[in-house]
Amino acid sequence: MVAKVITFGISKGGCSKTTSSGITAYLLSQEHKVLCLDMDGQGNLTSFLTGEFDICGVYEGKTTLEAIMDEDVSSYIVQITDNLHLVPSNDYLASLPRRMFEEKKGTSALSKALAPVLNQYDYIIIDTPPALSEHTILSLSASDSVVVMFDGSQFCYYAIDKFLEICEAAKQKGNSKLSVAGILFSLIDIRAKENKDMIEVIDEEYSTLRFNTIIRRKATTRRLGIYGFFDNPELKDALENYIPFVKELKERVAKGQNSKEETTSRA
Ligand SMILES: Nc1ncnc2c1ncn2[C@@H]1O[C@H](COP(=O)(O)OP(=O)(O)OP(=O)(O)O)[C@@H](O)[C@H]1O
Ligand SMILES: [Mg+2]
């Protein structure tokens, strides 16, 4: 096996990148070997999967930052379950751009760090911060596919084009295998008129890119951040929306579709 690397991103905060990447990883791990990589210094994916909130104390010197600098994630992997593993992060990941400059690392640094474990996993899932920073660029440079998160808001709508441009740049500058798996609507109240309108706008402008699955805003999904994935009586309800999404994602990633035109240009 050679892992498919999938980044969840958008340069707008609070659009469910962490929630969606964490749930996707958990669901994939029911059948596959999955490694999660937390590329956001907020460490939300780390806390989401481990239940640990003292990320600076517990994971000091044991994070994606050190893994990237060592160009090998192997000794930074934390086991969540047999099939679900994690490279954690904490606030020190903010120093990534400085460390890259000092140690003369290029945009392929994360790709190099993942290379030693690619044949140990079916999927590697990367959560990114809400910024077009080195953290996001390194993630895209190491990925096969990217899921563009969209909460249906006007602010996020204007982030999509810019994010797709960065994806295209990563593709042109060395990662020719990168494809956009799609745009995932999340945190959606389908009864709200503006959300229905936005679905039409996205379909018109990005033709086939939208995932058919729409992730609704759900209290049980929000509470996963509190109760976690284990011994949670609400788990089934919390994950329900994501089951068809993960099926779609697997199909799209397997195809590795999306031409340059589909990825970057509006219809
Ligand atoms: N489907 C959902 N239903 C209800 N609440 C959700 C859903 N998805 C995410 N949330 C909640 O929305 C908030 C933002 O989600 P999350 O932290 O995953 O976004 P993010 O894009 O990772 O944010 P950031 O940009 O800060 O990294 C959280 O409180 C989360 O619990
Ligand atoms: Mg997040």
Side-chain angles (χ1 to χ4, degrees), residues 14-19 21 38 40 42 44-45 127-130:
C15 296
S16 194
K17 292 179 289 298
T18 302
T19 304
S21 57
D38 195 342
D40 184 353
Q42 296 182 93
N44 291 159
L45 183 66
D127 183 31
T128 56

Side-chain angles (χ1 to χ4, degrees), residues 104-131:
K104 296 187 175 51
K105 301 283 186 200
T107 52
S108 61
L110 178 58
S111 190
K112 287 179 185 163
L114 289 176
V117 300
L118 278 183
N119 61 2
Q120 294 170 32
Y121 296 96
D122 298 299
Y123 294 97
I124 296 177
I125 303 292
I126 306 178
D127 183 31
T128 56

Side-chain angles (χ1 to χ4, degrees), residues 64-132:
T64 41
L65 177 66
E66 291 78 19
I68 291 167
M69 290 306 136
D70 283 1
E71 293 188 351
D72 188 350
V73 299
S74 304
S75 49
Y76 299 95
I77 293 171
V78 172
Q79 191 161 337
I80 310 292
T81 66
D82 281 353
N83 270 0
L84 181 59
H85 298 175
L86 165 76
V87 183
S89 85
N90 62 26
D91 305 62
Y92 295 107
L93 193 56
S95 65
L96 178 71
R98 178 175 57 77
R99 295 284 303 276
M100 285 177 64
F101 178 74
E102 285 170 357
E103 297 179 37
K104 296 187 175 51
K105 301 283 186 200
T107 52
S108 61
L110 178 58
S111 190
K112 287 179 185 163
L114 289 176
V117 300
L118 278 183
N119 61 2
Q120 294 170 32
Y121 296 96
D122 298 299
Y123 294 97
I124 296 177
I125 303 292
I126 306 178
D127 183 31
T128 56
L132 300 175

Side-chain angles (χ1 to χ4, degrees), residues 5-265:
V5 184
I6 309 171
T7 283
F8 285 67
I10 189 70
S11 44
K12 165 80 184 74
C15 296
S16 194
K17 292 179 289 298
T18 302
T19 304
S20 297
S21 57
I23 292 176
T24 300
Y26 175 84
L27 287 172
L28 285 170
S29 75
Q30 303 307 300
E31 289 178 41
H32 304 282
K33 291 286 274 186
V34 182
L35 175 67
C36 287
L37 202 83
D38 195 342
M39 277 297 278
D40 184 353
Q42 296 182 93
N44 291 159
L45 183 66
T46 300
S47 299
F48 194 33
L49 294 178
T50 62
E52 179 59 67
F53 286 85
D54 177 20
I55 53 175
C56 280
V58 172
Y59 298 115
E60 188 178 356
K62 301 173 185 168
T63 69
T64 41
L65 177 66
E66 291 78 19
I68 291 167
M69 290 306 136
D70 283 1
E71 293 188 351
D72 188 350
V73 299
S74 304
S75 49
Y76 299 95
I77 293 171
V78 172
Q79 191 161 337
I80 310 292
T81 66
D82 281 353
N83 270 0
L84 181 59
H85 298 175
L86 165 76
V87 183
S89 85
N90 62 26
D91 305 62
Y92 295 107
L93 193 56
S95 65
L96 178 71
R98 178 175 57 77
R99 295 284 303 276
M100 285 177 64
F101 178 74
E102 285 170 357
E103 297 179 37
K104 296 187 175 51
K105 301 283 186 200
T107 52
S108 61
L110 178 58
S111 190
K112 287 179 185 163
L114 289 176
V117 300
L118 278 183
N119 61 2
Q120 294 170 32
Y121 296 96
D122 298 299
Y123 294 97
I124 296 177
I125 303 292
I126 306 178
D127 183 31
T128 56
L132 300 175
S133 59
E134 277 80 354
H135 309 78
T136 301
I137 291 165
L138 256 62
S139 301
L140 294 172
S141 301
S143 292
D144 298 287
S145 299
V146 54
V147 176
V148 182
M149 295 303 306
F150 181 43
D151 68 356
S153 71
Q154 193 75 358
F155 290 148
C156 193
Y157 169 71
Y158 283 105
I160 293 177
D161 255 4
K162 292 180 202 165
F163 189 75
L164 290 177
E165 273 176 36
I166 297 293
C167 294
E168 187 57 26
K171 199 167 167 174
Q172 297 299 324
K173 291 183 179 165
N175 185 14
S176 57
K177 67 183 189 304
L178 182 67
S179 73
V180 178
I183 298 172
L184 177 63
F185 275 74
S186 186
L187 282 162
I188 299 300
D189 177 356
I190 209 70
R191 290 162 302 186
K193 182 181 178 314
E194 68 273 21
N195 283 332
K196 280 190 194 150
D197 292 348
M198 200 50 103
I199 289 169
E200 281 177 24
V201 169
I202 294 294
D203 284 349
E204 207 171 288
E205 299 194 1
Y206 298 100
S207 58
T208 58
L209 273 190
R210 179 172 67 80
F211 283 98
N212 295 323
T213 310
I214 289 182
I215 307 294
R216 310 279 173 97
R217 186 182 286 276
K218 247 184 178 221
T220 50
T221 308
R222 189 180 64 246
R223 286 197 291 268
L224 261 182
I226 305 169
Y227 301 130
F229 291 92
F230 309 101
D231 299 322
N232 177 351
E234 306 182 325
L235 187 66
K236 192 160 177 256
D237 193 65
L239 304 183
E240 185 184 52
N241 267 233
Y242 281 90
I243 290 168
F245 162 67
V246 170
K247 186 166 178 283
E248 258 190 275
L249 178 65
K250 282 169 75 172
E251 287 164 7
R252 290 185 181 214
V253 168
K255 278 191 210 148
Q257 75 226 58
N258 296 131
S259 66
K260 179 183 168 195
E261 288 70 29
E262 283 174 309
T263 305
T264 56
S265 67

